[in-house]
Amino acid sequence: MPLITRCLLTLVMLALLNGCSSARYYSQLITGQLQLLQAREPVAKVVADSQRDPVLREHLAKSQAARTFASQHLLLPDNQSYRRYADLKRPYVVWNVFATPEFSLNPVTYCFPVAGCVAYRGYYAQGGARGDAALKRQQGMDVFVSGVEAYSTLGWFDDPILNSMLHWGDERLATLVFHELAHQRVYVKDDTEFNESFASFVEQEGTRQWRAYQGLPPASVDGLAQRDQFIALVLSTRQRLQQLYAQPLPATQMRQRKAAEFDRMRREYRDLRDQQWAGNARYDAWVNSPMNNAKLLPFGLYDQWVPAFAALFKHANGDWAVFYSHVEQLGKLAPPQRKAALQQWAGEDLKA
């Protein structure tokens, strides 16, 4: 069945099942995805075109070495994803809206026919994301809008390299390719934390191996340590907030203590920055901007189980095929058993 026909049939089905409001939302998803697919062109064609931007051509040429490495060495899918390029004429491919109740870290989730339930809602236009965020704020929710450089269609389509993936250099582009291909390799419906933590681990370990393959020195130990310390700081704040929200406190007192926890996080961040990081202000903008529950969600989603997957990779003796087999087995467990197994593996990582 032709691609466009499949998409239109999906849209019609969703409209019938979910009503007009949902149909409008799915309409922008289908339209945005079709525009993305129509903008694709082979990377080889762009690289060979002397009339194109030479910086773009160089980035894309280097990207193909990383793309080949992903399949040959990381055993990620060997298909046409990231063998094409699309310029969307905007800084991000989508904007994700994260939302939580005022006194909870449980995300508002959305369920889709293919991807299952996820902890955010994506919009191809920034205005659509802002509009959704404004409505949720009116309902008393904590909301955070985040631009996204790339996403995976889980192998349904040949995902292209996007202009939004090129902002931070060749290595960052390679890490994005590793991350998104990981979603094509293993994906578990209705478990965002599992999927994103898995892809984040593949991204991190894949990048380490990619640097070694190129003969480059390991990434700065200081930079990696700062990243890990910052993530740990945010996750510890999440844990304290979860404990706070479990208490039967009046709303006014709960708000005061919630604000105090965010103030504590900022103080602890400044201590890290000034006493251990020699004043490196890499996270200042994020820390000093308005804070709420929803802003913490990506950390829990993308990083929570990375230590567990690191321990599982070590258990597999660094064999990617064995590692993926273990991950697939975890994915088949019922959610409570899967979480318990991940907690056990995360404990193994702490012992190492």
Side-chain angles (χ1 to χ4, degrees):
M1 183 183 296
L3 168 62
I4 293 178
T5 303
R6 285 167 54 192
C7 291
L8 290 176
L9 285 176
T10 301
L11 175 58
V12 171
M13 177 189 71
L14 293 170
L16 292 173
L17 292 176
N18 296 286
C20 292
S21 176
S22 293
R24 284 194 295 271
Y25 174 72
Y26 282 110
S27 178
Q28 67 91 26
L29 288 183
I30 297 297
T31 301
Q33 178 65 32
L34 287 175
Q35 289 174 344
L36 184 155
L37 295 175
Q38 291 167 353
R40 296 178 305 175
E41 52 185 328
V43 165
K45 177 183 176 182
V46 178
V47 172
D49 187 350
S50 61
Q51 301 302 310
R52 303 292 286 267
D53 178 4
V55 175
L56 170 64
R57 293 167 63 202
E58 182 179 2
H59 279 316
L60 292 180
K62 291 180 178 178
S63 76
Q64 297 308 281
R67 176 64 185 86
T68 299
F69 178 86
S71 294
Q72 293 184 352
H73 295 268
L74 308 182
L75 306 189
L76 293 169
D78 187 5
N79 53 32
Q80 289 303 303
S81 289
Y82 310 109
R83 299 291 189 187
R84 301 180 187 181
Y85 171 69
D87 186 352
L88 301 178
K89 313 297 184 183
R90 57 180 185 264
Y92 298 106
V93 56
V94 293
W95 285 262
N96 282 346
V97 180
F98 298 89
T100 71
E102 183 181 7
F103 302 130
S104 173
L105 284 163
N106 294 326
V108 177
T109 58
Y110 307 91
C111 298
F112 302 91
V114 176
C117 298
V118 296
Y120 46 82
R121 204 175 195 193
Y123 290 85
Y124 283 91
Q126 188 175 21
R130 287 177 172 173
D132 185 21
L135 289 174
K136 286 180 168 58
R137 290 190 186 98
Q138 289 178 359
Q139 297 168 6
M141 296 182 187
D142 280 13
V143 183
F144 177 58
V145 178
S146 176
V148 177
E149 298 164 303
Y151 67 85
S152 172
T153 60
L154 308 181
W156 275 58
F157 306 110
D158 295 330
D159 298 318
I161 294 172
L162 303 169
N163 64 292
S164 53
M165 300 167 67
L166 301 176
H167 298 317
W168 306 107
D170 295 321
E171 183 163 290
R172 175 56 180 163
L173 174 56
T175 67
L176 287 169
V177 170
F178 300 159
H179 184 106
E180 301 306 334
L181 283 174
H183 285 312
Q184 293 188 22
R185 185 65 177 76
V186 178
Y187 186 87
V188 177
K189 270 194 171 185
D190 305 334
D191 197 335
T192 304
E193 292 92 342
F194 181 92
N195 295 322
E196 294 300 347
S197 295
F198 164 70
S200 291
F201 170 75
V202 173
E203 170 190 331
Q204 292 171 21
E205 177 61 23
T207 301
R208 187 192 68 78
Q209 294 188 16
W210 172 233
R211 290 184 65 88
Y213 179 79
Q214 298 174 91
L216 298 175
S220 166
V221 174
D222 289 342
L224 294 175
Q226 289 172 11
R227 180 202 66 194
D228 291 344
Q229 287 177 319
F230 181 71
I231 291 172
L233 173 64
V234 175
L235 292 179
S236 66
T237 301
R238 281 174 52 94
Q239 185 175 21
R240 291 195 304 271
L241 285 170
Q242 286 175 325
Q243 294 170 348
L244 170 63
Y245 297 150
Q247 300 179 35
L249 299 176
T252 300
Q253 186 177 356
M254 189 74 81
R255 289 190 188 99
Q256 291 172 345
R257 293 186 59 178
K258 174 182 176 181
E261 288 296 346
F262 286 129
D263 288 340
R264 175 180 171 178
M265 184 181 73
R266 290 188 173 100
R267 289 196 305 272
E268 291 179 349
Y269 166 73
R270 288 193 292 269
D271 288 343
L272 271 177
R273 180 195 63 193
D274 298 338
Q275 297 176 19
Q276 298 187 40
W277 299 357
N280 188 322
R282 61 191 292 189
Y283 299 111
D284 273 21
W286 189 91
V287 170
N288 294 325
S289 59
M291 199 68 61
N292 62 33
N293 297 328
K295 192 172 180 179
L296 304 186
L297 281 181
F299 289 87
L301 298 176
Y302 285 74
D303 302 289
Q304 181 175 358
W305 300 122
V306 168
F309 289 112
L312 192 59
F313 188 75
K314 183 177 180 181
H315 176 74
N317 295 316
D319 186 313
W320 284 104
V322 174
F323 170 69
Y324 293 139
S325 178
H326 289 327
V327 173
E328 290 166 352
Q329 292 304 311
L330 281 176
K332 293 176 182 178
L333 297 176
Q337 286 73 38
R338 186 186 310 135
K339 184 174 181 179
L342 288 167
Q343 288 172 334
Q344 184 175 355
W345 281 112
E348 292 298 320
D349 182 69
L350 291 175
K351 294 176 187 177

